[in-house]
Amino acid sequence: MASTADIRNGLCIKFNHDIYKIIEFLHVKPGKGPAFVRTKLKSLTTGKVLDNTFSAGHKIDVVRVETHTFQYLYNEGNDYHFMNTESYEQITLSKDVLDAPQFLKEGTNVMVQINTETDMPLSVDMPASIVLEVTYAEPGVKGNTATNATKPATVETGANVNVPLFINEGDKIKIDTATGDYLERVKE
């Protein structure tokens, strides 16, 4: 058992007969009344996100997890196949367990958290950013805007991303996997 002082991002806990991962937390010490911890929890079975407040000193049940590096191989419909880079063991995960499956490119390494009690995969942590090639983008016309306008573009994985007007087909761009936003153009 742990207390609210041990709460951190990425911690997996048992709560309401389910396993949740802490996405965000904030320790609050108001001037009047007891301290508390405001958290945002994501269910690792359904993917739902809920807000919860724990009073200071509240006991939480921590789930022991191990993190392993897996390489993304391919997908079949809603099933995504990964291979452990150390033991070459393969696992199949459902699309709803993944945070940003639309940005997964074959050969991408991800961190998979596995429950040590049941050996079940709990969550997949994508790299913070990923470099993908633009396969389709409408041509941008110079001089048609005074501000930083964007246009939709399709990347090699099939995902749609809003990019600046100067991005063309064949360009490689860096994308933030958490938000799905364009970060920068990558020169090679």
Side-chain angles (χ1 to χ4, degrees), residues 138-160:
E138 303 217 357
V141 181
K142 267 191 176 177
N144 67 351
T145 180
T147 61
N148 51 355
T150 60
K151 63 182 180 181
T154 305
V155 292
E156 59 186 296
T157 60
N160 290 320

Side-chain angles (χ1 to χ4, degrees), residues 95-160:
K95 183 177 185 174
D96 46 293
V97 175
L98 306 170
D99 290 333
Q102 70 273 22
F103 297 125
L104 270 178
K105 180 177 156 184
E106 292 170 359
T108 303
N109 284 342
V110 296
M111 302 304 285
V112 178
Q113 292 183 333
I114 298 174
N115 185 344
T116 56
E117 296 169 14
T118 61
D119 284 334
M120 291 295 297
L122 294 176
S123 70
V124 177
D125 292 332
M126 295 276 293
S129 62
I130 191 163
V131 176
L132 296 171
E133 185 176 335
V134 176
T135 56
Y136 175 77
E138 303 217 357
V141 181
K142 267 191 176 177
N144 67 351
T145 180
T147 61
N148 51 355
T150 60
K151 63 182 180 181
T154 305
V155 292
E156 59 186 296
T157 60
N160 290 320

Side-chain angles (χ1 to χ4, degrees), residues 19-51:
I19 297 177
Y20 288 88
K21 180 178 180 181
I22 296 173
I23 302 172
E24 292 177 19
F25 72 98
L26 178 67
H27 288 277
V28 180
K29 175 101 176 74
K32 190 176 185 180
F36 57 91
V37 181
R38 192 174 290 135
T39 60
K40 191 173 277 190
L41 306 170
K42 179 179 180 182
S43 170
L44 297 178
T45 53
T46 63
K48 288 183 181 175
V49 176
L50 63 101
D51 295 318

